[in-house]
Amino acid sequence: MAAKALAFDVGDYVVYPKHGVGRVVELQQEEIAGMKLELYVLRFEKERMTLRVPVNKVEAIGMRKLSSDKTLREALDTLKGKPKVKRTMWSRRAQEYEAKINSGDLVSIAEVTRDLFRADDQPEQSYSERQIFEAASSRLARELAAMEKTDEPAALKKILAILNEHAPKYYETV
C-alpha cells in the first residue's frame, strides 16, 4: 500500500453520513482475512457507538471533515427560507427526507429541518414527521455544536430560535 497522508488525525471531529458527527479516537492496524488494514476508530457519543472505518474506504463512504463556515452559513440561511412541502404521498416524502439526512450534506439536512418544522401555533405533526424532524434537527445541531465548540442542546436552541423567528411569516400568508 502506498504511503498516503491520512485525511484525519486523532481528535478530529468527522461527519459519517449515516451516523452524523463523531470523533477520531485512534488509528489502528489490524489484520483481517490475511490483509493488513489501517482503521480509523470513530466514537459517536450520542449513540454510545464505536465504529472502525478502513482508511482506504473513507472516500467511498463519504466520511468528511466538519463543514466549512461558508457551508454552515448556507445551512443556517436555508432554515430562514420558505418551507417547501411537496404534495406527494407521505411515504415518498419520508424516503426523500431520510435520504437527505443520510447524505450527510449539511444544507440538505437543514432543508429537512426547515420543511418539517412546526411552530407551537401550527397543527400537530404526525409521529413519523416528528421522528424525522428530530433526527434532522439533532444531526444539524451536533455538527453546529462541534463547529461552534458548544453542546448539542445549545446548538438546537439556536436552530429552533431561527426557525421560530422566520417560520411564522410564511404561515401567515397561507
Side-chain angles (χ1 to χ4, degrees), residues 34 38 120 123 171 173-174:
E38 276 189 278
D120 293 336
Y171 292 117
T173 58
V174 174

mmCIF file of all heavy atoms in Angstrom, residues 34 38 120 123 171 173-174:
data_model
loop_
_atom_site.group_PDB
_atom_site.id
_atom_site.type_symbol
_atom_site.label_atom_id
_atom_site.label_comp_id
_atom_site.label_asym_id
_atom_site.label_seq_id
_atom_site.Cartn_x
_atom_site.Cartn_y
_atom_site.Cartn_z
ATOM 1 N N GLY A 34 -6.220 -12.015 6.516
ATOM 2 C CA GLY A 34 -4.869 -12.054 5.954
ATOM 3 C C GLY A 34 -4.380 -10.746 5.361
ATOM 4 O O GLY A 34 -3.278 -10.690 4.821
ATOM 5 N N GLU A 38 -5.428 -0.435 7.801
ATOM 6 C CA GLU A 38 -5.365 0.714 8.702
ATOM 7 C C GLU A 38 -6.807 1.152 8.916
ATOM 8 O O GLU A 38 -7.562 1.304 7.952
ATOM 9 C CB GLU A 38 -4.567 1.850 8.079
ATOM 10 C CG GLU A 38 -3.074 1.733 8.267
ATOM 11 C CD GLU A 38 -2.385 3.013 7.822
ATOM 12 O OE1 GLU A 38 -2.166 3.150 6.619
ATOM 13 O OE2 GLU A 38 -2.091 3.848 8.695
ATOM 14 N N ASP A 120 -45.375 26.401 17.534
ATOM 15 C CA ASP A 120 -46.323 25.980 18.580
ATOM 16 C C ASP A 120 -47.779 26.189 18.185
ATOM 17 O O ASP A 120 -48.656 25.439 18.599
ATOM 18 C CB ASP A 120 -46.023 26.712 19.892
ATOM 19 C CG ASP A 120 -44.682 26.296 20.479
ATOM 20 O OD1 ASP A 120 -44.210 25.167 20.167
ATOM 21 O OD2 ASP A 120 -44.106 27.086 21.249
ATOM 22 N N PRO A 123 -50.578 23.234 13.330
ATOM 23 C CA PRO A 123 -51.174 21.914 13.585
ATOM 24 C C PRO A 123 -50.103 20.891 13.997
ATOM 25 O O PRO A 123 -48.955 21.009 13.591
ATOM 26 C CB PRO A 123 -51.771 21.525 12.225
ATOM 27 C CG PRO A 123 -51.857 22.777 11.440
ATOM 28 C CD PRO A 123 -50.827 23.713 11.986
ATOM 29 N N TYR A 171 -46.279 31.211 7.337
ATOM 30 C CA TYR A 171 -47.564 30.574 7.646
ATOM 31 C C TYR A 171 -48.714 31.573 7.685
ATOM 32 O O TYR A 171 -49.862 31.203 7.507
ATOM 33 C CB TYR A 171 -47.484 29.812 8.975
ATOM 34 C CG TYR A 171 -46.570 28.616 8.887
ATOM 35 C CD1 TYR A 171 -45.427 28.544 9.668
ATOM 36 C CD2 TYR A 171 -46.845 27.562 8.012
ATOM 37 C CE1 TYR A 171 -44.580 27.437 9.573
ATOM 38 C CE2 TYR A 171 -46.001 26.479 7.909
ATOM 39 C CZ TYR A 171 -44.875 26.413 8.690
ATOM 40 O OH TYR A 171 -44.039 25.342 8.599
ATOM 41 N N THR A 173 -49.416 33.857 5.561
ATOM 42 C CA THR A 173 -49.980 34.097 4.230
ATOM 43 C C THR A 173 -50.782 32.914 3.724
ATOM 44 O O THR A 173 -51.500 33.036 2.733
ATOM 45 C CB THR A 173 -48.857 34.408 3.213
ATOM 46 O OG1 THR A 173 -47.952 33.302 3.190
ATOM 47 C CG2 THR A 173 -48.126 35.670 3.582
ATOM 48 N N VAL A 174 -50.681 31.769 4.377
ATOM 49 C CA VAL A 174 -51.366 30.550 3.904
ATOM 50 C C VAL A 174 -52.854 30.643 4.142
ATOM 51 O O VAL A 174 -53.328 31.124 5.114
ATOM 52 C CB VAL A 174 -50.780 29.295 4.589
ATOM 53 C CG1 VAL A 174 -51.574 28.075 4.208
ATOM 54 C CG2 VAL A 174 -49.329 29.136 4.221
#
